[in-house]
């Protein structure tokens, strides 16, 4: 029998403070709230900062600084966003303390965003870590509220979350006291511990996250990241046109970048995925894997900036490196979307369209100045193949 709405779902929406209890996985018409949408928009500020710094470092030929700084900064943004999203799916009570705590998390990400440039320029991570810790400690208070409203195994789970997150934040603060030369060895350990907290906390009981709500939340953040990619590429192209007479070299990049962004949207949303999210094992892999989807989608925008800079002679790298700044994240995006989404709904030879396309995109690196345009055409071809298969009827649509 399908479980009915929980007390949280039936409660009136006006009390200032409510008891935080689990929401039902079967709750009808569950959709993202205005607070969640505002949360996403504020988090994308940090995504934009990371993308801009990545483009600058790549354009100057500082590959190691670019990759290390971007991976760390994007992990901080993604992990804080993801933890809030899954918690909200299970426990959102939309009262005043919940809203205020969420706004504190937003404040934390803005502090993190302010610290991202220093992370790239001089390796200083104090401000970025401070913003991250603010976000995570705010999350601890949410879990403590959930523990107060729960009982039995669910209460123990919420307390394990609160304890685990707190201990990791202590570790991040202690890391700031260590010599900067030690940080590259400590950070990966901290990341692994952060990633392990949900699995350890939910080893006996699972949170009541809502599959359709989670799928929608991830889709909305993908849209925002792709929008930031289009915005970054547009601003870079506009600046280049204003300062240089290079329209002939910029048009293929603009067209290719636009086709790539359109294709990225189409491919991600080709089929709903919430039916695949049936257990924590599937959901953890899917949710964690989106680090690569979100990160590569944002990196495409940075790559387009680099390609524009090279076209006008402002980047101190080779043509191959400038093209690879677009083709590598684009190939990663296609492959991870296939691994997390498409392979679960496709059969036969059609299941290999995206993996083959990711290899074709990598091969576009050899096309030099035409590489970005070629990448966009590959993306458009993938979409065309998908539409053609769908038009052949229900059986072919499985591909």
């Amino acid at each position: 029998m399908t479980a009915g709405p929980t007390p949280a779902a039936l409660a009136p929406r006006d009390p200032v403070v409510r008891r935080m209890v689990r929401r039902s996985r079967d709750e009808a018409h569950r959709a993202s709230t205005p607070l969640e949408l505002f949360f996403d928009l504020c988090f994308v500020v940090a995504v934009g900062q990371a993308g801009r710094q990545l483009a600058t470092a790549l354009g100057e030929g500082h590959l190691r600084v670019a990759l290390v700084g971007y991976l760390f900064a994007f992990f901080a943004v993604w992990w804080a966003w993801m933890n809030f999203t899954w918690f909200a799916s299970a426990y959102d009570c939309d009262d005043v303390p919940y809203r205020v705590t969420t706004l504190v998390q937003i404040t934390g990400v803005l502090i993190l965003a302010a610290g991202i440039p220093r992370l790239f320029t001089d390796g200083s991570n104090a401000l970025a870590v401070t913003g991250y810790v603010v976000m995570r400690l705010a999350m601890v208070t949410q879990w403590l509220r959930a523990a107060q409203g729960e009982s039995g195994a669910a209460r123990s789970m919420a307390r394990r979350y609160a304890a685990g997150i707190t201990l990791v934040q202590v570790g991040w603060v202690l890391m700031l006291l260590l010599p900067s030369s030690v940080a590259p060895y400590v950070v990966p350990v901290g990341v692994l511990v952060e990633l392990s907290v949900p699995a350890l906390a939910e080893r006996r009981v699972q949170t009541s996250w809502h599959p359709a709500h989670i799928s929608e939340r991830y889709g909305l953040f993908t849209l925002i990241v792709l929008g930031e990619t289009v915005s970054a590429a547009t601003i870079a192209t506009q600046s280049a046109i204003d300062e240089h007479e290079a329209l002939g070299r910029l048009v293929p990049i603009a067209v290719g970048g636009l086709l790539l962004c359109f294709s990225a949207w189409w491919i991600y949303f080709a089929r709903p995925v919430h039916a695949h999210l049936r257990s924590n094992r599937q959901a953890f892999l899917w949710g964690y894997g989106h680090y690569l989807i979100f990160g590569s989608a944002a990196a495409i925008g940075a790559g387009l900036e680099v390609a524009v800079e090279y076209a006008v002679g402002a980047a101190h790298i080779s043509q191959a490196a400038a093209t690879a700044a677009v083709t590598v994240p684009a190939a990663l995006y296609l492959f991870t979307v296939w691994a997390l989404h498409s392979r679960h709904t496709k059969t036969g030879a059609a299941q290999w369209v995206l993996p083959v396309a990711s290899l074709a995109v990598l091969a576009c690196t050899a096309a030099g100045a035409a590489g970005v345009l070629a990448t966009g055409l590959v993306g458009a071809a993938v979409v065309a193949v998908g539409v053609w298969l769908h038009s052949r009827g229900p059986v072919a649509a499985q591909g």
Side-chain angles (χ1 to χ4, degrees):
M1 180 180 294
T2 301
T6 64
L10 296 175
R13 307 303 287 175
D14 56 331
V16 174
V17 180
R18 284 189 290 272
R19 182 168 175 249
M20 184 178 280
V21 296
R22 278 176 286 178
R23 299 180 65 155
S24 172
R25 283 198 180 195
D26 301 315
E27 185 178 338
H29 310 297
R30 182 71 190 276
S32 298
T33 66
L35 180 60
E36 288 177 315
L37 299 178
F38 182 51
F39 187 85
D40 291 357
L41 288 173
C42 293
F43 263 62
V44 84
V45 173
V47 172
Q49 279 278 41
R52 283 188 289 275
Q53 295 303 316
L54 174 64
T56 300
L58 288 176
E60 294 175 352
H62 301 151
L63 181 61
R64 182 180 177 278
V65 171
L67 293 180
V68 172
Y70 183 73
L71 291 175
F72 177 71
F74 205 92
F75 170 81
V77 175
W78 162 77
W79 188 243
W81 177 88
M82 190 174 105
N83 276 244
F84 167 80
T85 296
W86 289 79
F87 176 87
S89 188
Y91 288 104
D92 181 1
C93 61
D94 196 32
D95 62 0
V96 171
Y98 178 85
R99 291 185 176 191
V100 171
T101 306
T102 302
L103 295 177
V104 171
Q105 289 180 269
I106 291 175
T107 302
V109 78
L110 297 180
I111 296 172
L112 169 63
I116 287 177
R118 297 183 183 182
L119 190 64
F120 281 81
T121 56
D122 58 15
S124 174
N125 56 15
L127 191 58
V129 169
T130 299
Y132 181 75
V133 171
V134 169
M135 290 188 290
R136 302 298 283 141
L137 291 181
M139 196 72 248
V140 169
T141 67
Q142 298 280 43
W143 279 113
L144 290 175
R145 284 196 68 198
Q148 190 176 28
E150 291 282 17
S151 61
R155 174 175 290 185
S156 298
M157 174 203 66
R159 287 175 174 172
R160 283 195 295 271
Y161 260 113
I165 295 172
T166 300
L167 287 174
V168 180
Q169 303 325 299
V170 171
W172 290 124
V173 173
L174 292 177
M175 184 195 71
L176 298 178
L177 304 178
L178 299 175
S180 58
S181 59
V182 180
Y185 304 98
V186 175
V187 169
V189 176
V191 168
L192 289 176
V193 176
E194 285 272 16
L195 293 174
S196 68
V197 170
L200 294 174
E202 299 191 32
R203 67 181 185 272
R204 294 180 182 174
V205 63
Q206 300 178 8
T207 52
S208 57
W209 46 269
H210 194 287
H213 176 247
I214 286 293
S215 175
E216 181 191 28
R217 296 289 295 115
Y218 273 72
L220 289 172
F221 200 71
T222 300
L223 286 175
I224 292 175
V225 171
L226 289 174
E228 176 64 26
T229 294
V230 173
S231 175
T234 301
I235 293 173
T237 303
Q238 178 185 352
S239 300
I241 292 175
D242 290 343
E243 299 177 9
H244 302 274
E245 296 295 333
L247 190 60
R249 295 190 297 274
L250 294 176
V251 167
I253 297 174
V255 173
L258 201 59
L259 287 174
L260 182 56
C261 291
F262 289 169
S263 302
W265 169 80
W266 197 300
I267 291 167
Y268 185 91
F269 293 99
R271 285 175 176 81
V273 75
H274 63 268
H276 172 66
L277 305 179
R278 295 185 295 270
S279 69
N280 267 16
R281 181 179 179 181
Q282 294 163 323
F284 278 170
L285 179 61
W286 183 84
Y288 284 20
H290 269 73
Y291 172 71
L292 297 177
I293 290 182
F294 293 155
S296 59
I300 289 172
L304 291 172
E305 288 189 56
V306 173
V308 168
E309 290 180 0
Y310 182 85
V312 298
H316 307 293
I317 53 176
S318 66
Q319 174 68 77
T323 305
V326 177
T327 58
V328 171
L332 181 60
Y333 178 89
L334 293 176
F335 185 82
T336 50
V337 169
W338 167 79
L340 297 177
H341 285 263
S342 303
R343 69 185 182 89
H344 302 297
T345 57
K346 294 185 177 182
T347 59
Q351 185 176 156
W352 303 103
V353 171
L354 283 179
V356 171
S358 65
L359 294 176
V361 165
L362 285 178
C364 290
T365 307
V372 176
L373 178 58
T375 298
L377 292 173
V378 170
V382 171
V383 172
V385 169
V387 172
W388 176 70
L389 288 171
H390 183 74
S391 68
R392 295 175 59 197
V395 176
Q398 293 180 3

